[in-house]
């Protein structure tokens, strides 16, 4: 079971890093319009979309990616806890 937990947690960590890269890409002009940016957008935007529906932007600042990343970290802690109960 520990192997399954590590596979899930590694996938979640990789997705977390992709989300961070996508957020930093918003600081660089025209980086999201590149092929790399569009690929990451297709991966990350479905995760961010429900948070954007709940949390309105504050002027030009969108806080929904921040909340999404925190929820992903809490989910990682939850997976770690669940697998510690099984083992």
């Amino acid at each position: 079971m520990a192997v399954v937990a590590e596979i899930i947690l590694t996938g979640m960590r990789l997705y977390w890093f992709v989300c961070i890269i996508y957020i930093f890409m918003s600081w660089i002009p025209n980086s999201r319009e590149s092929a790399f940016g569009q690929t990451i957008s297709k991966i990350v935007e479905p995760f961010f979309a429900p948070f954007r529906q709940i949390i309105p932007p504050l002027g030009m600042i969108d806080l929904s990616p921040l909340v999404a990343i925190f929820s992903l970290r809490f989910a990682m802690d939850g997976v770690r806890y669940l697998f510690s109960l099984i083992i």
Side-chain angles (χ1 to χ4, degrees):
M1 274 304 183
V3 174
V4 174
E6 281 304 313
I7 290 171
I8 292 171
L9 288 172
T10 301
M12 292 174 88
R13 276 189 220 109
L14 288 173
Y15 194 73
W16 186 82
F17 282 118
V18 170
C19 291
I20 295 292
I21 290 169
Y22 184 72
I23 290 169
F24 284 137
M25 285 177 67
S26 69
W27 295 356
I28 303 168
N30 297 327
S31 62
R32 289 189 181 176
E33 284 77 29
S34 67
F36 179 71
Q38 290 177 355
T39 303
I40 289 182
S41 176
K42 289 177 185 176
I43 295 170
V44 173
E45 280 298 327
F47 179 61
F48 287 169
F51 295 99
R52 285 200 174 114
Q53 291 176 353
I54 297 170
I55 303 165
L58 300 172
M60 297 279 298
I61 300 172
D62 186 14
L63 296 177
S64 58
L66 183 67
V67 175
I69 285 183
F70 280 128
S71 68
L72 184 59
R73 293 301 290 192
F74 287 134
M76 289 169 67
D77 291 340
V79 168
R80 198 172 291 117
Y81 177 73
L82 287 175
F83 277 97
S84 71
L85 291 178
I86 294 173
I87 295 174

